[in-house]
Amino acid sequence: MKKFIISFFTLLLVISCKNEPQHLVKIEGKLLPVNEKLESVKEIEDFIQPHKEKVEKEMNTVLSYTKTDLVRTDSQLESSLGNLMADLCFERANPVFNSRTGKNIDFAMFNYGGIRAGITKGNITTENAFNLMPFENSLVVTELTYEKINELAQYLINGKRAHPISKQVNLVVTKDGFDLKINHKTIEKNKTYFVLTSDYLQNGGDNMVFFKEPVTLHKLDYKVRNAIIDYFKEIDTVKVKLDGRFRKEI
């Protein structure tokens, strides 16, 4: 009888250990609020502190100076900050492009929404550059046809916003349409133009589809933010003005 009982329970154990499909029955979670009651860990704070101090020092580094507030809202079709951003990116990128191709960029164009913060009068720091361009966007040069350049101009006109365009552009909205000159010359039908922009916009961001499928595409491996920082490092005092590069005459 004892052997029978042992055999019986052994059989039950074997049956109970048989692999059966597992089914999720319930998931439980717990909310842990982050507030003043949550105590910090000194070991972690001590580890982070040197890195925090280094980052703060770098962010507070003074790069340049501006005598006026730089914003994107001081005019309807152009702005002090937009003009500065387009011009400085052109200035920093053109030598790179020229060294690789033997050609020059015709002009630069970016988007109004890409300017994320203004710069107030006074010292310009590394933090200002990060606030202005918090994204990891890189500079690219697109080769565009006459037709694409016209689409670009129409985009600016329809948008009625101060998208950053460099000083090589002179776009005038007239009662008969528009007049566009690049480097003081009327655009030519059988010519292509090298336009500096960001990789985000080149992929059609902000509905700038005219940048997609260019004749050629040149990646400069140069982040927009780095171009901004490099420019500020070389300029003691930033000087920028509204010069009528995009305006209405109707």
Side-chain angles (χ1 to χ4, degrees):
M1 184 66 179
K2 183 178 179 181
K3 290 184 179 180
F4 173 77
I5 294 173
I6 293 174
S7 300
F8 177 75
F9 280 105
T10 300
L11 180 61
L12 287 178
L13 180 61
V14 171
I15 295 174
S16 65
C17 292
K18 183 180 179 182
N19 291 329
E20 295 290 343
Q22 302 297 309
H23 300 283
L24 181 63
V25 177
K26 183 171 62 174
I27 298 177
E28 293 184 351
K30 186 178 181 181
L31 181 64
L32 298 176
V34 179
N35 52 39
E36 65 278 0
K37 295 181 181 180
L38 188 64
E39 296 182 0
S40 60
V41 179
K42 188 177 185 304
E43 289 79 4
I44 296 177
E45 284 190 339
D46 291 343
F47 176 79
I48 293 175
Q49 188 62 31
H51 303 282
K52 179 182 177 182
E53 291 175 356
K54 181 180 178 181
V55 170
E56 288 178 347
K57 182 179 179 180
E58 291 179 354
M59 285 297 186
N60 292 325
T61 300
V62 176
L63 305 176
S64 187
Y65 180 84
T66 174
K67 295 180 179 179
T68 60
D69 292 340
L70 302 174
V71 296
R72 65 175 184 173
T73 56
D74 43 1
S75 186
Q76 181 185 0
L77 300 180
E78 63 173 326
S79 71
S80 57
L81 192 52
N83 287 359
L84 174 64
M85 182 175 173
D87 288 345
L88 74 83
C89 284
F90 178 95
E91 185 173 322
R92 295 300 308 180
N94 193 52
V96 177
F97 181 69
N98 180 268
S99 68
R100 296 180 183 178
T101 66
K103 301 176 182 179
N104 290 311
I105 298 169
D106 290 292
F107 66 94
M109 177 181 173
F110 300 94
N111 63 321
Y112 179 87
I115 300 176
R116 309 304 290 188
I119 301 176
T120 56
K121 175 183 176 180
N123 290 333
I124 300 175
T125 65
T126 304
E127 184 177 8
N128 289 130
F130 272 80
N131 290 338
L132 174 61
M133 175 50 64
F135 311 114
E136 297 299 310
N137 295 340
S138 295
L139 292 168
V140 299
V141 179
T142 60
E143 184 180 3
L144 302 184
T145 62
Y146 170 86
E147 289 76 18
K148 293 286 188 178
I149 293 295
N150 273 285
E151 288 180 31
L152 183 154
Q154 199 61 59
Y155 175 93
L156 289 170
I157 294 168
N158 293 342
K160 300 178 182 178
R161 306 190 82 177
H163 291 292
I165 52 175
S166 63
K167 61 186 177 183
Q168 291 76 24
V169 173
N170 189 281
L171 176 59
V172 183
V173 182
T174 67
K175 63 179 180 180
D176 299 320
F178 67 88
D179 178 53
L180 173 62
K181 289 184 173 63
I182 299 174
N183 289 309
H184 309 290
K185 296 180 181 179
T186 301
I187 57 174
E188 302 174 28
K189 289 185 177 180
N190 298 321
K191 184 179 177 180
T192 59
Y193 295 85
F194 294 103
V195 185
L196 177 71
T197 190
S198 71
D199 52 355
Y200 165 73
L201 297 177
Q202 191 278 317
N203 284 310
D206 213 358
N207 292 318
M208 294 191 182
V209 294
F210 44 82
F211 280 133
K212 300 182 71 174
E213 299 180 4
V215 177
T216 60
L217 175 64
H218 304 265
K219 298 180 180 181
L220 302 186
D221 302 314
Y222 196 5
K223 292 189 184 300
V224 179
R225 185 196 307 121
N226 291 347
I228 295 171
I229 292 173
D230 291 343
Y231 176 84
F232 285 151
K233 283 182 177 179
E234 294 187 354
I235 302 296
D236 179 70
T237 301
V238 172
K239 297 179 181 179
V240 62
K241 63 179 181 179
L242 302 177
D243 53 18
R245 61 188 66 179
F246 179 23
R247 65 189 185 277
K248 288 183 179 181
E249 289 188 353
I250 54 176

